Amino acid sequence: MAMNKLHTNATLADPEDLASAEPLYYRIAQDLLRSIRNGDYPVGSMLPPEVRLCEHYGASRFTVREALRWLTDHNLIDRRRGAGTTVKNAEPAPSFIYRLSSLSEMLKYPEDTYRENLVSTMVQVDPRLSDYIGSPVGHEWYRIGGLRRSDRSDLPICWSDIYILPEFAPLVAGETTSNEPVFQRIERERGVVIANAQIRIFASSIEGELARLLRVADGSPALTFVRRYLDESGRNFESTVTIHPEKRFEYALELHRDGAGGLQT
Amino acid sequence: MAMNKLHTNATLADPEDLASAEPLYYRIAQDLLRSIRNGDYPVGSMLPPEVRLCEHYGASRFTVREALRWLTDHNLIDRRRGAGTTVKNAEPAPSFIYRLSSLSEMLKYPEDTYRENLVSTMVQVDPRLSDYIGSPVGHEWYRIGGLRRSDRSDLPICWSDIYILPEFAPLVAGETTSNEPVFQRIERERGVVIANAQIRIFASSIEGELARLLRVADGSPALTFVRRYLDESGRNFESTVTIHPEKRFEYALELHRDGAGGLQT
DNA sequence: TAGTGGTCTAGACCACTGC
DNA sequence: CAGTGGTCTAGACCACTAG
């Protein structure tokens, strides 16, 4: 029987136990986690129903549910009304997270900057662009190219090429300057929801015409970002390539240990 | 009185209401959210205590707490035992997260790479280093400098300088090659827990001796990372500076929309 | 010390699942 | 239809905070 798999719990419910400093629901959660890790409840198997856990731990349903809630919050189990509790993971997953309160925060540009659009045209995907935006060679996209500027300096911050699906072109065609990120505009006006954003960051050098526009020497170092924005169905509806000359921009991120960290008792 | 700020709730508790399809705790949560957005409870202000919310909504404490739990989960309020409930955010920020299952994943180097240590010495922080590692000028750190290599290519992947607090020097002194990240070693052998990691990414150029070691032309573009590792008390115990020549390395991250998305009723 | 949120019990009814 | 998890009530004691 499933219950045999649970550890003895004599100490668990004992209020004299030293470990009692921690709430009962937490000790129950840890005990269940231990059982899961032990393989008593392998991934894919079912946990005993709440009532049985109540009997086993001598706790009320509320307390047992708090324990199960903890496991749910840490991505270890799935619960379905009527069906029961399934083990989803044996390890309390991701330990570090980088959290943005909004996607435009990902861009990291100060508020007082704006885009100066210099190129607006339909383009056909060539092999290099295909690698960047992940769209097959030959497909058509609408491209907006321009410089990002700040009022505080004559030097442009970066060159950016924005590629969007042709259907969204009317939203931005004809704009010469803009404060609002294009993806935000698409989200707002067309109800597209960004579910996912992919970012690649690498070093490159600035050559020729681009060097002149960015006012740097030919072959100067640059920080290049390629970003892809995907909607809920996984469709890539916008991609951007931005090229930042040395010393004009820097990207920073801060990772925090997730709550799931301190698990072991 | 604070309670005056709450909307009338006649329909909220009415079981005949059509909206009753949704659980009471959820309707209460939405009502509170509406009040917060309205400015009835500005960011920084306090929400009424649970007991008062119970009276107002005619619900049990359990139900009110479920509502408050919802607000907590969505990053809208902060709760402190004894102190009360504070409004933290007015908008359930559509947040995006980047999750790592471990910190070494942050390094993004393939498994088959290793460090070849060429320099090991105590250093005094100069102004430039101070900006990088965030330690006052004059402080002493232990430095390990070297190349990261892969067996698959003669070209080194990057140059890395690792700065650690002198107390951890014995852990790594004398090593000539290493697979394990230094922070991981410190975590494992000294029980230091990394709570936070800060990363800065920018473009730079490779000059002089470094160019020779990395086998690139003088002034070649590079992707530079500065990383700081902080423990639970906020102490910076390790910082690294890594310099990647063009085309040998690229950093990628993928952001996902957080569950907090679908809020509005 | 009065009032807060955190934990917990012992009940209850319901919606949903799978047999 | 029996059994599951989801919601909810009406109590209780406790740890903690702030005046």
Side-chain angles (χ1 to χ4, degrees):
Chain A
M1 202 56 251
M3 280 331 287
N4 301 335
K5 297 178 177 176
L6 285 174
H7 291 203
T8 66
N9 65 325
T11 63
L12 264 190
D14 180 3
E16 306 303 335
D17 190 350
L18 287 178
S20 294
E22 302 198 314
L24 178 56
Y25 81 86
Y26 184 76
R27 281 175 282 145
I28 294 177
Q30 295 309 307
D31 189 68
L32 287 169
L33 172 55
R34 210 175 308 132
S35 299
I36 291 172
R37 282 175 161 161
N38 279 350
D40 294 342
Y41 299 106
V43 172
S45 70
M46 306 284 285
L47 241 47
E50 295 178 358
V51 205
R52 202 121 60 205
L53 292 172
C54 291
E55 297 163 6
H56 180 80
Y57 290 111
S60 74
R61 209 177 141 216
F62 171 86
T63 303
V64 163
R65 282 178 63 77
E66 283 298 298
L68 293 171
R69 166 120 70 172
W70 190 94
L71 296 174
T72 305
D73 287 346
H74 290 79
N75 202 33
L76 291 157
I77 59 175
D78 259 343
R79 319 195 67 206
R80 272 170 59 234
R81 182 182 357 210
T85 302
T86 321
V87 178
K88 201 205 296 185
N89 280 302
E91 286 304 319
S95 47
F96 281 88
I97 62 177
Y98 166 48
R99 193 183 203 101
L100 298 170
S101 56
S102 78
L103 251 200
S104 48
E105 210 174 296
M106 183 186 87
L107 294 174
K108 302 274 185 191
Y109 298 118
E111 286 291 336
D112 66 349
T113 65
Y114 55 92
R115 259 184 306 110
E116 178 186 302
N117 300 329
L118 302 175
V119 187
S120 291
T121 172
M122 291 294 300
V123 292
Q124 273 211 335
V125 175
D126 63 21
R128 203 187 81 122
L129 188 56
S130 173
D131 172 48
Y132 283 176
I133 73 181
S135 176
V137 173
H139 278 212
E140 294 221 314
W141 288 68
Y142 187 73
R143 169 189 175 216
I144 306 163
L147 294 168
R148 179 169 291 270
R149 293 185 176 281
S150 158
D151 288 328
R152 290 178 301 186
S153 167
D154 283 344
L155 296 173
I157 298 169
C158 69
W159 173 268
S160 65
D161 279 309
I162 301 169
Y163 300 91
I164 55 179
L165 291 177
E167 59 181 290
F168 299 124
L171 286 181
V172 286
E175 282 189 338
T176 54
T177 64
S178 174
N179 284 305
E180 189 184 31
V182 171
F183 67 80
Q184 199 168 296
R185 180 120 188 204
I186 294 175
E187 213 174 12
R188 186 164 51 79
E189 304 214 358
R190 293 293 180 86
V192 173
V193 175
I194 302 181
N196 198 300
Q198 300 167 348
I199 313 175
R200 292 163 60 193
I201 308 174
F202 50 89
S204 64
S205 42
I206 308 175
E207 319 277 354
E209 170 70 3
L210 197 52
R212 195 186 60 75
L213 283 164
L214 288 167
R215 304 228 232 142
V216 295
D218 212 76
S220 293
L223 183 64
T224 298
F225 288 76
V226 175
R227 295 182 172 88
R228 291 182 195 169
Y229 301 93
L230 311 181
D231 68 13
E232 285 163 314
S233 65
R235 177 182 63 151
N236 172 208
F237 65 92
E238 176 183 338
S239 297
T240 67
V241 180
T242 53
I243 300 170
H244 306 76
E246 195 179 5
K247 288 180 185 144
R248 293 188 202 165
F249 181 75
E250 118 176 1
Y251 195 76
L253 50 135
E254 190 161 343
L255 299 165
H256 297 275
R257 184 177 288 272
D258 193 9
L263 299 159
Q264 325 66 332
T265 36
Chain B
M1 198 55 247
M3 279 334 286
N4 300 336
K5 297 178 176 174
L6 285 173
H7 292 203
T8 67
N9 66 322
T11 63
L12 264 191
D14 180 3
E16 304 305 333
D17 188 352
L18 287 177
S20 294
E22 301 197 313
L24 179 55
Y25 81 87
Y26 184 76
R27 281 176 283 146
I28 294 177
Q30 295 307 307
D31 189 67
L32 287 168
L33 173 54
R34 210 176 306 130
S35 299
I36 291 172
R37 281 174 161 160
N38 278 349
D40 296 341
Y41 300 105
V43 172
S45 69
M46 305 284 285
L47 241 46
E50 295 178 357
V51 206
R52 202 120 63 207
L53 292 172
C54 290
E55 297 161 7
H56 180 80
Y57 290 110
S60 74
R61 212 178 140 216
F62 171 85
T63 302
V64 163
R65 283 178 62 78
E66 284 297 298
L68 293 171
R69 166 121 68 173
W70 189 93
L71 295 173
T72 306
D73 287 345
H74 290 79
N75 202 33
L76 291 157
I77 59 175
D78 259 342
R79 318 196 68 206
R80 271 170 60 234
R81 171 162 33 190
T85 301
T86 321
V87 178
K88 201 205 297 184
N89 279 302
E91 286 303 320
S95 74
F96 283 82
I97 57 180
Y98 167 47
R99 307 189 81 127
L100 298 171
S101 52
S102 79
L103 251 200
S104 48
E105 207 174 298
M106 184 186 87
L107 293 174
K108 303 273 186 192
Y109 298 119
E111 286 292 337
D112 66 350
T113 66
Y114 57 92
R115 260 186 304 110
E116 177 186 302
N117 299 331
L118 301 175
V119 188
S120 291
T121 172
M122 291 294 299
V123 292
Q124 272 211 332
V125 175
D126 63 21
R128 201 186 83 121
L129 188 57
S130 173
D131 172 48
Y132 282 175
I133 73 181
S135 176
V137 174
H139 277 212
E140 293 220 314
W141 288 68
Y142 188 75
R143 170 191 174 216
I144 306 163
L147 294 168
R148 178 169 293 269
R149 294 186 175 281
S150 158
D151 288 327
R152 288 178 302 186
S153 166
D154 282 344
L155 296 172
I157 298 168
C158 69
W159 173 269
S160 65
D161 279 310
I162 301 168
Y163 300 90
I164 54 179
L165 291 177
E167 60 180 289
F168 300 124
L171 285 181
V172 285
E175 281 188 341
T176 53
T177 65
S178 173
N179 284 306
E180 190 184 31
V182 171
F183 68 79
Q184 199 169 297
R185 180 120 187 202
I186 294 176
E187 215 176 10
R188 187 162 51 80
E189 302 214 357
R190 292 293 180 87
V192 172
V193 175
I194 302 180
N196 198 299
Q198 300 167 350
I199 314 176
R200 290 162 62 193
I201 308 174
F202 50 89
S204 64
S205 42
I206 308 176
E207 320 276 354
E209 170 70 3
L210 197 53
R212 195 187 59 76
L213 282 164
L214 288 168
R215 305 227 231 144
V216 295
D218 212 74
S220 293
L223 183 64
T224 299
F225 287 75
V226 175
R227 295 183 172 88
R228 292 183 195 167
Y229 301 93
L230 311 182
D231 68 14
E232 284 163 315
S233 65
R235 177 182 64 151
N236 173 208
F237 66 91
E238 175 181 337
S239 296
T240 67
V241 180
T242 52
I243 300 169
H244 307 76
E246 194 179 5
K247 288 178 186 148
R248 294 190 200 163
F249 181 75
E250 122 176 357
Y251 195 75
L253 47 140
E254 189 160 344
L255 299 164
H256 298 273
R257 183 178 288 272
D258 196 8
L263 300 157
Q264 325 65 329
T265 37

